[in-house]
Amino acid sequence: MATRMLRRGLPRVAGGEPWPPAGDVEVADAAAPAAGAAAGSGAAPAAGEGFDSLTVAQPVSSPAAPQPALNDPQDQPTGGAALRRGLPRTPGGEPWPPADAAPAAASAAAPATAAAPAAAALAAAAPEGSPRVVERAEGETKRVERAQRVEATAPAVATSGEALRRGLPRTPGGEPWPPAGTTAVVAAPVAEPVEASEAAAATASASTGSVSAAPASTAVAAIDVSTPLPFQRTVFPGKTAFTRSAPNPEPVRIGPFTKAQWAGTVLVGGIALLGAAAMAVLLVRWLLSFGALQDFVATYPGEYHLPEGAPVGFPGWLGWQHFFNVFLMVLIIRSGLRIRNEKRPTAFWTPRGNAKGKVSLTIWFHQALDILWLLNGVVFVVMLFVTGQWMRVIPTSWEVFPNAISAVLQYISLDWPTENGWVNYNSIQQIAYFATIFLAAPLAAVTGFRMSGMWPKNAEKLSKAYPIEWARALHFPVMLYFLVFIAIHVFLVFATGALRNLNHMYAAQGSVDPNAYADNWTGFWFFVASLVVIAAAWIAARPLVLAPIAKLFGTVSSR
């Protein structure tokens, strides 16, 4: 026999030698059929040969022994026929099995009886102290026994013309299946791939590697069995399997936030402001408990005496000017915010004789209001200086600053200074009115004029000295200042004596005595009437109403 060196792998026991043991292993040659016959009769190799020359019979399913392909019915091995040859067992060798190898006779008990000698050979050839090999031999023996039991209890396969065994009905309450009298028809032998199982296994000879396999037969009923068994549905699809819910619509945004986000922002901001205000009140009241600050408030009560000849009270023209100023300011802020958020204007206004001056109707309305507001402001300032009322809103002494600080401390501590605007404003009021009339209003006019179409386009040097970016950066913050001023002004008007203050501003009624006219409602009703007019103008400020007015000064179009 020829010998070859097997590749050694991991040891089979912990700390043992690599498996298989070192040495050459015999390989079957052309004389293998004779040795195969001896192996089939149960002969085992001598124990003295050891592992160096032991040839172990392996099952068909073992990867060490390649199996012949049995996929073609013509290649199915039969008694006396040559086996189909496959790949060589050694690199560069002859195809396996040898050309003159003949298959062993197959029988029903061949797999079980042929595997017993192989198990006995493993057990006999195992060296002492090799429990893994002994365990493997015992496993082979148990496998043979199980195969024999399965084969003994296997039901007989119906042959051609034999009545088939009837089973359960195919429909509830029906007859057993198949119908009575159905006979079996044996189809032609069909080769199946050999699978390693405990019930049936092919046997590989230790010396020749010849394979014995029994042809398999399949019993096919003479009726149509392609229809699947009927079953009763127990699970039904819901409505979501056929309909898909529409996605939620995108929430409408007002500026950067939605309505819910604005509500949350206002709520959280209001709570934060209340908390900050409460802390400020407690802090200032604690500071005013010190003697130094008490002396400061006594020295500077919050106002100083006006110059000699300063007028007392409010004339009627001042009340009308105040109403016109509020009316125009509200509409200017409304149109300015609309310009800031307007993306697609609905109407346009073009001046006569200047087609390049085309602007949206909202911008025209904003600029028209600006012109009216500036005219009203010029009349207001002229009347201030003509009547001497300027001394009430323009600081005339440096004492205005310490008195303003004292007034702020008194306001924050909630111990407000005595109010008598009919005679004199306190210092913080005087500074606020001066900044609004003589600083904020001119700044709003200058920045608005720079951004308007009335700015000269050919004045390159002037445009370079006063860039439009500066105007845009200042115009919006000035509008925010007016909003804050109006909010604080209205709050203090109602918090420091609503009826008395409204009589001063709207009815031109007052007295040196701060408690006079406290129960007079004349100014209040004038104030309500002014609110109605402002609300009506707010609602009417839309293209349907503004277009006929704008046509008097130019051309209105939708494009």
Side-chain angles (χ1 to χ4, degrees):
M1 278 191 171
T3 60
R4 64 183 178 87
M5 177 68 70
L6 293 181
R7 180 180 179 182
R8 305 179 68 191
L10 297 176
R12 306 200 65 176
V13 295
E17 292 294 327
W19 184 265
D24 297 336
V25 177
E26 293 182 358
V27 180
D29 53 11
S41 62
E49 293 180 2
F51 277 80
D52 291 343
S53 59
L54 176 63
T55 302
V56 181
Q58 299 180 0
V60 176
S61 60
S62 174
Q67 304 174 10
L70 302 179
N71 297 329
D72 192 349
Q74 297 178 359
D75 297 331
Q76 198 70 324
T78 58
L83 294 178
R84 180 180 179 182
R85 305 178 67 191
L87 297 175
R89 303 194 67 178
T90 57
E94 293 294 329
W96 185 265
D100 55 353
S107 64
T113 58
L122 281 175
E128 296 183 1
S130 300
R132 294 292 295 274
V133 177
V134 176
E135 181 181 354
R136 180 181 177 187
E138 294 176 354
E140 289 291 333
T141 303
K142 292 180 180 179
R143 187 185 65 79
V144 171
E145 294 175 357
R146 286 196 300 269
Q148 292 174 352
R149 289 197 299 271
V150 170
E151 183 180 356
T153 58
V157 179
T159 59
S160 179
E162 219 177 289
L164 294 178
R165 180 181 176 182
R166 302 178 71 191
L168 297 175
R170 302 192 68 176
T171 58
E175 293 293 327
W177 186 266
T182 304
T183 59
V185 177
V186 178
V190 179
E192 296 181 354
V194 178
E195 298 181 357
S197 63
E198 296 180 355
T203 303
S205 174
S207 59
T208 63
S210 60
V211 180
S212 299
S217 300
T218 304
V220 181
I223 61 174
D224 183 14
V225 293
S226 61
T227 305
L229 292 174
F231 64 92
Q232 184 177 2
R233 179 178 294 182
T234 57
V235 179
F236 297 89
K239 63 178 182 179
T240 56
F242 308 101
T243 59
R244 179 174 296 179
S245 58
N248 296 330
E250 187 71 17
V252 179
R253 292 184 176 272
I254 303 175
F257 304 126
T258 62
K259 294 181 180 179
Q261 291 173 341
W262 274 115
T265 303
V266 171
L267 179 61
V268 174
I271 295 174
L273 288 177
L274 288 176
M279 294 178 63
V281 170
L282 294 176
L283 177 62
V284 172
R285 291 181 73 89
W286 175 71
L287 292 175
L288 290 177
S289 63
F290 294 98
L293 282 180
Q294 291 178 358
D295 295 340
F296 175 78
V297 173
T299 305
Y300 300 101
E303 64 181 17
Y304 64 94
H305 295 290
L306 294 178
E308 293 292 337
V312 176
F314 298 97
W317 65 265
L318 194 59
W320 284 104
Q321 286 287 331
H322 185 270
F323 163 72
F324 285 133
N325 185 69
V326 175
F327 176 83
L328 295 173
M329 181 62 66
V330 170
L331 295 181
I332 287 173
I333 293 174
R334 179 188 184 278
S335 58
L337 292 176
R338 185 174 180 83
I339 291 173
R340 190 176 181 87
N341 299 322
E342 190 176 47
K343 296 181 180 180
R344 292 185 178 180
T346 57
F348 295 88
W349 178 83
T350 306
R352 294 188 178 93
N354 185 14
K356 295 183 179 180
K358 184 178 182 179
V359 294
S360 68
L361 190 62
T362 307
I363 294 178
W364 171 85
F365 181 56
H366 184 75
Q367 294 178 355
L369 292 172
D370 288 340
I371 295 174
L372 295 176
W373 182 69
L374 289 175
L375 292 176
N376 182 73
V378 170
V379 173
F380 178 76
V381 171
V382 170
M383 294 298 295
L384 282 179
F385 285 97
V386 169
T387 59
Q389 292 286 337
W390 64 270
M391 289 182 284
R392 297 167 58 88
V393 295
I394 297 178
T396 58
S397 174
W398 290 107
E399 294 182 2
V400 68
F401 296 108
N403 278 286
I405 296 174
S406 176
V408 170
L409 292 175
Q410 294 177 63
Y411 277 122
I412 295 176
S413 66
L414 302 182
D415 185 14
W416 293 354
T418 303
E419 293 289 341
N420 191 8
W422 186 260
V423 177
N424 190 10
Y425 293 131
N426 63 49
S427 295
I428 191 64
Q429 285 178 306
Q430 191 176 51
I431 292 176
Y433 293 151
F434 172 79
T436 302
I437 298 171
F438 296 100
L439 296 179
L443 188 59
V446 172
T447 54
F449 177 69
R450 177 64 181 88
M451 295 186 299
S452 69
M454 294 180 289
W455 180 264
K457 301 296 187 299
N458 299 326
E460 297 181 359
K461 293 183 178 179
L462 185 61
S463 300
K464 187 175 181 180
Y466 182 24
I468 191 173
E469 290 77 14
W470 292 7
R472 290 172 178 169
L474 291 174
H475 196 70
F476 186 71
V478 171
M479 185 206 72
L480 295 180
Y481 167 80
F482 278 108
L483 287 175
V484 173
F485 172 80
I486 292 172
I488 297 176
H489 179 64
V490 172
F491 172 76
L492 291 177
V493 165
F494 283 90
T496 58
L499 294 179
R500 182 180 67 249
N501 292 330
L502 291 176
N503 279 332
H504 292 171
M505 292 187 296
Y506 285 92
Q509 297 180 2
S511 174
V512 177
D513 183 5
N515 296 322
Y517 303 98
D519 297 331
N520 190 340
W521 290 79
T522 306
F524 174 79
W525 293 117
F526 276 114
F527 171 71
V528 171
S530 68
L531 290 181
V532 171
V533 174
I534 293 173
W538 180 286
I539 297 173
R542 57 187 59 194
L544 183 63
V545 179
L546 297 178
I549 302 175
K551 287 182 179 180
L552 300 176
F553 307 95
T555 304
V556 178
S557 62
S558 59
R559 301 183 60 180

